[in-house]
């Protein structure tokens, strides 16, 4: 049970809390009433605002539409005025640009091209919008006049600034091939940067707007002339230098100059050699005799042509580089083809002239001229890859010019080689020009000198011979095949020479002189082969050639030695009388001894007199033959004297014993000595 006092307190608390809740509820009720009143007031205000906005909108929208129409009208007016200004400007183009067009583009190309652009636009406008307008004819006239002025300016720039390349610069350009690594390649500046810029701008305008290709013809004609004149100038440089000093500057003959960079020498093939087949006496002349001038001139012609070929390649490469900047891509090959024709035709014609001279010389059996073909042909074949690269894209007729010249030279060279071999075999000169002293024949020295020239051109000569082969193996020949052909050819020439020498030797009535003649010629051939290393080339197909020549030489020495038998037979032991010491000789025996002494003396004197006039140019061989003969004669004569010098076969021994052994040796020592 809750005590009464606590229940009374609890009731008061509940009553108080209830009273508070009632007060709170009353406050909330009052607040809601106020909020409803405020909401009603706000709704009323918004309704009034909406009504006013609708009235304002109904008033503003018509004004806005009127303003928008006015703005559109203003824009249309402005556009119309702008179009009118644009159209009117075309009517002023002619008057605005006429003065500049009339004065030309020189010195103000960009301004001039700007005027041409305006004129072109005016032409297009009148053609599209008013083709019957007199203004169209006026701007057309200005456009054509301006185009002609640009074409004229193009020609003028190319003519005034295209200069012939100096020979010295060309030689330095060629010499640059052998410069030290790391150095920049030399390049030619045909046109200055500013001129090149103007030329390129004009050419592009003419192609794009002028619809004109005539300037390309102008370009190749001007550049073609300069290329041709540059190469001819180089050739003339060689001619003048040769005539004035005898030593033209070229990379083959270094000559330091202050006005050009110093280059390493570029030796043209075989420059250091004399290419003419000369007689032995002329060869010994060593280019200091009466033929020296002619030889130098021939060397100059060869050198000049070879350098002109190299110059063409370098200059043509440079021309193509210049052309690619100026001429449109699809016209470059054709224009370049036309540009190089004159210079290329000149080179090919000069090459054909060399071939023609060689052919005429072959007919006359003069094989000196054909040797000019060898260094030129070798250089042409070495240069052919560069030629082919430069001529890439040109017409087939242009590409085939160099191969045609090479084929012509190879055919002529091969014909010369074969004719030379046949001429060696069939040389009819047997009765005349035979050396009376039995020395080396002119035919031998000529043949060897000719073969020695081939050493410097082994591949070229071998290729000449291979070019005439029709066998399947020749169609794919290599350097080894070429070398074997050349070896076979040299062996053929030597074989023909040997046959001819044998035939010529029969002209001599004295077999001993015939033997000396063959000995001298065989020895000269062998020594020349060994000295010039021709022997190695011969050995490619004939391993025993050297031994064969030595056998021939020894055989001729033995033949010569038999000429002394008629002297030594008198003093040989056979048929000599046998006698006892102290026994008196019979008259028959004394007479026999006298005849032996007399026969020996007469034979010795006769042989020495005759053979003294003979010649053996080779000192080693001469001493060898003398020594061998002295040994034989001294032994026989010494034994003969020992046996009969003290025998009383005559009252006048000095009449028969005319020579001591030493005197006989001295007489033999003077053999083959025309100066004694």
């Amino acid at each position: 049970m809750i005590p009464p006092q606590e229940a009374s307190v609890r009731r008061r608390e509940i009553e108080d809390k209830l009273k508070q809740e009632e007060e709170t509820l009353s406050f909330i009720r009052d607040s809601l009433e106020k909020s409803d009143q405020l909401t009603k007031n706000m709704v009323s205000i918004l309704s009034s605002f909406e009504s006013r906005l609708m009235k304002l909108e109904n008033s503003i929208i018509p004004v806005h539409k009127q303003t928008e129409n006015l703005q559109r009208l203003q824009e249309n007016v402005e556009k119309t005025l702008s179009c009118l200004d644009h159209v009117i400007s075309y009517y002023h183009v002619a008057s605005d640009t006429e003065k500049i067009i009339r004065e030309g583009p020189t010195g103000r190309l960009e301004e001039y091209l700007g005027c041409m652009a305006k004129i072109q636009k005016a032409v297009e406008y009148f053609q599209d919008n008013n083709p019957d307008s007199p203004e169209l004819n006026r701007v057309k006239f200005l456009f054509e006049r301006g185009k002609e002025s640009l074409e004229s300016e193009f020609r003028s720039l190319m003519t005034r600034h295209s200069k012939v390349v100096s020979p010295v610069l060309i030689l330095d350009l060629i010499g640059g091939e052998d410069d030290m690594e790391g150095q920049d390649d030399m390049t030619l500046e045909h046109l200055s940067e500013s001129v090149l810029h103007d030329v390129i701008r004009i050419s592009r305008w003419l192609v794009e707007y002028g619809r004109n290709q005539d300037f390309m013809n102008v370009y190749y004609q001007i550049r073609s002339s300069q290329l041709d004149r540059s190469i001819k100038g180089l050739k003339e440089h060689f001619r003048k230098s040769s005539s004035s000093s005898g030593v033209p500057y070229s990379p083959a003959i270094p000559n330091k100059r202050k006005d050009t960079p110093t280059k390493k020498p570029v030796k043209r093939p075989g420059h250091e050699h004399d290419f003419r087949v000369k007689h032995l006496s002329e060869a010994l002349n060593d280019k200091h005799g009466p033929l020296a001038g002619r030889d130098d001139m021939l060397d100059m012609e060869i050198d000049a042509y070879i350098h002109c070929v190299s110059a063409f390649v370098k200059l043509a490469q440079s021309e193509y580089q210049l052309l690619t900047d100026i001429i449109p891509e699809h016209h470059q090959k054709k224009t370049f083809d036309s540009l190089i024709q004159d210079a290329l035709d000149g080179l090919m014609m000069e090459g054909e002239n060399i071939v023609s001279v060689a052919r005429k010389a072959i007919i006359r059996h003069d094989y000196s001229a054909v040797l000019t073909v060898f260094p030129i042909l070798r250089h042409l074949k070495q240069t052919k890859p560069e030629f082919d690269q430069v001529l890439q894209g040109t017409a087939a007729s242009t590409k085939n010019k160099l191969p045609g010249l090479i084929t012509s030279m190879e055919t002529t060279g091969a014909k010369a080689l074969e004719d030379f071999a046949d001429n060696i075999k069939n040389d009819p000169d047997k009765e005349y020009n035979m050396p009376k002293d039995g020395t080396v024949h002119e035919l031998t020295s000529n043949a060897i000198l000719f073969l020695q020239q081939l050493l410097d051109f082994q591949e070229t000569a071998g290729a000449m011979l291979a070019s005439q082969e029709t066998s399947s193996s020749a169609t794919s020949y290599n350097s080894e095949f070429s070398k074997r052909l050349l070896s076979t050819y040299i062996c053929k020439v030597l074989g023909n020479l040997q046959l001819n020498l044998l035939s010529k030797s029969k002209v001599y009535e004295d077999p001993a002189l015939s033997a000396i003649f063959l000995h001298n010629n065989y020895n000269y051939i062998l020594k020349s082969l060994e000295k010039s290393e021709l022997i190695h080339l011969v050995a490619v197909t004939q391993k025993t050639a050297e031994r064969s020549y030595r056998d021939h030489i020894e055989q001729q020495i033995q033949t010569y030695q038999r000429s002394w038998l008629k002297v030594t037979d008198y003093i040989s032991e056979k048929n000599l009388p046998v006698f006892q010491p102290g026994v008196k000789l019979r008259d028959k025996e004394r007479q026999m001894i006298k005849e032996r002494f007399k026969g020996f003396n007469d034979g010795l004197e006769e042989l020495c007199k005759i053979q003294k006039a003979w010649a053996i140019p080779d000192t080693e061989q001469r001493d060898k033959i003398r020594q061998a003969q002295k040994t034989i004669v001294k032994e026989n004569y010494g034994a003969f004297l020992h046996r009969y010098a003290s025998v009383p076969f005559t009252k006048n021994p000095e009449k028969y014993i005319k020579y001591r052994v030493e005197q006989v040796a001295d007489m033999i020592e003077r053999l083959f000595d025309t100066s004694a």
Side-chain angles (χ1 to χ4, degrees), residues 21 29 62 85 121 153 159 210 225 227 257 262 268 272 277 313 361 378 462 496 516 522 559 562 580 636-637 658:
E21 293 292 335
R29 189 178 289 112
D85 289 340
K121 289 180 180 179
E153 179 70 4
T159 303
S225 175
L227 175 62
R257 305 176 316 287
T262 302
R268 66 113 166 126
E272 67 277 10
V277 173
V313 173
R378 181 170 70 178
N496 290 349
I516 290 296
Y522 291 156
T559 301
R562 284 197 288 272
Q580 296 295 327
N636 284 273
Y637 186 59
K658 296 173 63 174

Side-chain angles (χ1 to χ4, degrees), residues 354-355 358-359 362 367 369-374 377 405-421 450 454 460-468 489:
I354 294 171
V355 173
R359 286 180 183 143
I362 294 170
Y367 300 97
V370 77
L371 288 169
T372 62
V373 172
F374 283 84
L377 176 58
L405 178 59
I406 289 176
T407 300
S408 180
M409 286 189 170
E410 283 189 331
T411 303
T412 301
K415 179 69 166 56
L417 291 175
E418 292 302 323
D419 281 11
F420 179 78
F450 186 87
L454 300 184
T460 304
M464 282 181 178
L465 297 170
S467 68
Q468 306 305 303
Y489 171 77

Side-chain angles (χ1 to χ4, degrees), residues 20 91 107 138 140 200 267 274 302 355 416 455 474 570 574 628 655:
Q20 289 178 355
Y91 287 87
R138 188 178 179 189
K140 270 188 173 181
I200 292 173
K267 292 187 178 180
D274 175 16
I302 297 171
V355 173
L455 274 178
Y570 282 107
K574 65 179 182 178
K655 179 180 178 181

